[in-house]
Amino acid sequence: MTALLPGVATLGVLGGGQLGRMFVHAAQALGYRCVVLDPDAVSPAGAVAEKHVKTDYLDHFGLAQLARDCDAITTEFENVPALALETLAGMRVVAPSGAAVAVCQDRAVEKAHFEAAGVPCAPHAVITNEIELAAIDPALLPGILKTSRMGYDGKGQMRVATAAELAAAWDDLKRVPCVLEQLLPLKAELSVLVARGADGQLVNFPVQQNLHRGGILAVTEVPARAVPAEVRQQAVAAARQVAEALNYVGVLCIEFFWLDDGRLVVNEMAPRPHNSGHWTMNGADVSQFELQVRTLAGLPLSEPRQHSASVMLNLLGDLWFSDEGGPTPPAWDRVLGLPGTHLHLYGKADARHGRKMGHLNITAATPEAAHQVAVQAAAILGLPTDF
Ligand code: ATP
Ligand code: MG
């Protein structure tokens, strides 16, 4: 593919959320024009792009408009109909492919892909009917029942301890196709971001250590201080293997569980930049979003270099509310008085509980210093400081 040059080409993105917004910012910094397709009249990415096409993702006219305006098109979420990407692929450069996104859209298919790539995942079984439900291996209990499709931030998941609870949970999930995963004892959660170009060039960021609260990412630390080099190498090798096996083009995030017994298993993957990679905006010389732009435009990928120890704190809408009520914006001025703090807000007008409003990156010369400032920032914001 010949490169789509900055200052000349226009790049499009399906989806107007915060990931789309940060993609647009990175693309514009390089000199590209951007078009966002999102059905919502107001969206974080639509507000900053040169153009916002406000139609449904499968709308014929919307997709035609996007293809007319753009030289290349990507997506910012995996639940975008793979069909939309396939339709566009007939007209324009599209990355990642609809086929790769389709794998990530379905947990059962995704797990089969991991196994085929030789990367172990959690013991699991697929449940699509009564017979499969009845045949569940009791060794998978206690487990987590997850809908195969459309899950995010822990939604569409139920913990089950017995066969009876499993049957009731499957009823609650409306008997849609599900995957039952054994509940594993986690020492820590890790993720690895890779970027792969159409020419096969593959680069990766260092291993990220992630803390979730209530099924939502809360804190990412890089380097993953507590994780031995050997486990980190294993995670990077597995992530690269998964991307190669998919013949993937774009930015891909692979999430791992590091288990109490020291084993590493893959959890899931996202065919796009990921919340756990937001630290790269300030802690590395090239961000995950710039690499997304480079993969899409067919530019050479630069091997990312982490120049600062980094911590990322997710900022949910809960921070806007206190016992006295709300919404009231948090004391950003105090937080930004701490050394190495970088605030990113997504331009969402209404703060709501559990809604991702922004993130705070903390950079420092050492992991210990970054951690210490992150704890201070968390205390100011009223976030838990036990990380
Ligand atoms: P997202 O897309 O936001 O990353 P998700 O809704 O797709 O999340 P998962 O990543 O599958 O959900 O699970 C959310 C969290 O639940 C995990 O990060 C982990 O903390 C916990 N979890 C999931 N599966 C297991 C498991 N098999 N054993 C132990 N904990 C688990
Ligand atoms: Mg996850």
Side-chain angles (χ1 to χ4, degrees):
M1 155 184 182
T2 44
L4 300 167
L5 292 181
V8 180
T10 300
L11 304 180
V13 58
L14 289 170
Q18 63 267 15
L19 298 176
R21 179 183 176 96
M22 292 182 273
F23 166 81
V24 168
H25 282 153
Q28 290 172 335
L30 275 164
Y32 292 101
R33 283 172 39 83
C34 292
V35 181
V36 166
L37 187 145
D38 188 292
D40 284 348
V42 180
S43 72
V48 297
E50 274 80 4
K51 186 168 174 181
H52 177 183
V53 178
K54 296 179 191 109
T55 69
D56 198 72
Y57 296 112
L58 282 176
D59 183 276
H60 180 75
F61 294 105
L63 292 176
Q65 180 73 59
L66 199 61
R68 216 171 17 249
D69 289 341
C70 302
D71 300 285
I73 297 144
T74 189
T75 178
E76 62 127 27
F77 67 128
E78 56 267 42
N79 290 333
V80 60
L83 189 59
L85 291 171
E86 275 153 23
T87 305
L88 291 165
M91 304 180 263
R92 290 288 178 233
V93 173
V94 169
S97 69
V101 170
V103 172
C104 305
Q105 276 178 336
D106 188 302
R107 287 185 196 280
V109 177
E110 184 177 71
K111 283 182 159 55
H113 175 77
F114 292 140
E115 284 171 344
V119 177
C121 53
H124 64 280
V126 177
I127 300 176
T128 59
N129 58 44
E130 296 269 358
I131 297 164
E132 286 168 343
L133 177 70
I136 284 300
D137 178 354
L140 292 177
L141 298 169
I144 306 186
L145 185 67
K146 305 179 177 181
T147 58
S148 288
R149 302 179 76 90
M150 299 302 268
Y152 69 98
D153 290 345
K155 293 185 177 69
Q157 300 196 6
M158 297 181 76
R159 294 193 174 208
V160 291
T162 62
E165 279 180 30
L166 172 63
W170 194 48
D171 269 343
D172 280 354
L173 294 174
K174 308 265 182 337
R175 299 184 158 231
V176 296
C178 283
V179 171
L180 175 69
E181 263 178 56
Q182 191 179 33
L183 185 66
L184 299 169
L186 313 183
K187 209 192 305 252
E189 296 191 53
L190 311 175
S191 59
V192 175
L193 275 157
V194 302
R196 189 168 179 275
D199 60 355
Q201 191 193 357
L202 182 61
V203 300
N204 65 272
F205 286 101
V207 173
Q208 305 158 166
Q209 182 164 350
N210 305 321
L211 174 73
H212 292 77
R213 294 193 189 107
I216 304 180
L217 182 66
V219 183
T220 296
E221 293 199 52
V222 190
R225 288 179 295 157
V227 183
E230 180 190 303
V231 175
R232 280 186 266 154
Q233 280 156 15
Q234 208 182 322
V236 168
R240 295 177 68 102
Q241 212 167 311
V242 167
E244 292 284 9
L246 267 180
N247 195 19
Y248 190 82
V249 180
V251 169
L252 180 71
C253 183
I254 294 94
E255 295 180 65
F256 297 91
F257 296 143
W258 182 34
L259 306 183
D260 276 350
D261 66 8
R263 278 184 306 135
L264 188 74
V265 299
V266 62
N267 171 25
E268 60 172 358
M269 61 181 166
R272 50 169 171 80
H274 193 258
N275 200 163
S276 62
H278 289 355
W279 68 274
T280 62
M281 297 170 80
N282 301 105
D285 64 349
V286 59
S287 75
Q288 59 170 349
F289 299 102
E290 179 171 341
L291 284 177
Q292 184 184 23
V293 172
R294 287 181 181 233
T295 55
L296 184 62
L299 292 172
L301 308 185
S302 102
E303 186 73 52
R305 183 177 61 83
Q306 179 175 13
H307 54 64
S308 297
S310 301
V311 178
M312 187 240 23
L313 301 180
N314 246 358
L315 305 170
L316 301 183
D318 306 61
L319 295 183
W320 275 248
F321 298 90
S322 64
D323 294 340
E324 287 87 62
T328 318
W332 301 130
D333 48 348
R334 288 181 60 209
V335 171
L336 292 171
L338 297 171
T341 49
H342 315 273
L343 180 64
H344 301 267
L345 291 181
Y346 307 146
K348 297 182 184 178
D350 319 315
R352 288 198 298 269
H353 292 284
R355 189 176 201 202
K356 288 178 178 171
M357 301 296 288
H359 65 273
L360 183 75
N361 285 341
I362 297 107
T363 53
T366 65
E368 292 71 25
H371 185 263
Q372 200 187 348
V373 174
V375 168
Q376 289 175 287
I380 293 173
L381 293 168
L383 286 168
T385 52
D386 59 339
F387 57 88

